[in-house]
Amino acid sequence: MAKKSVASLQTGSKRLTKAIKMTKSPKTGAYIFTEAIMAPDLVTDWINKK
């Protein structure tokens, strides 16, 4: 189960996006939040990757 929250960031000439992915831990059942800053075109691939 993954949900995404996306915020656009602009630094000079680069356009970046901060994505947050929520995954459920198979061992404990707790949810883990993973954050990454990347180019906007890579967000969908990163969200869908396990």
Side-chain angles (χ1 to χ4, degrees):
M1 177 177 175
K3 293 185 179 185
K4 68 178 180 178
S5 174
V6 177
S8 295
L9 308 170
Q10 291 184 347
T11 57
S13 63
K14 295 181 183 178
R15 185 162 182 255
L16 300 173
T17 302
K18 180 178 182 181
I20 302 170
K21 180 169 46 171
M22 180 177 74
T23 56
K24 192 170 185 178
S25 173
K27 289 184 179 180
T28 63
Y31 287 99
I32 302 168
F33 294 92
T34 307
E35 298 180 13
I37 297 176
M38 63 192 76
D41 54 342
L42 301 175
V43 172
T44 305
D45 294 335
W46 183 76
I47 293 290
N48 293 332
K49 182 176 68 171
K50 280 196 169 188

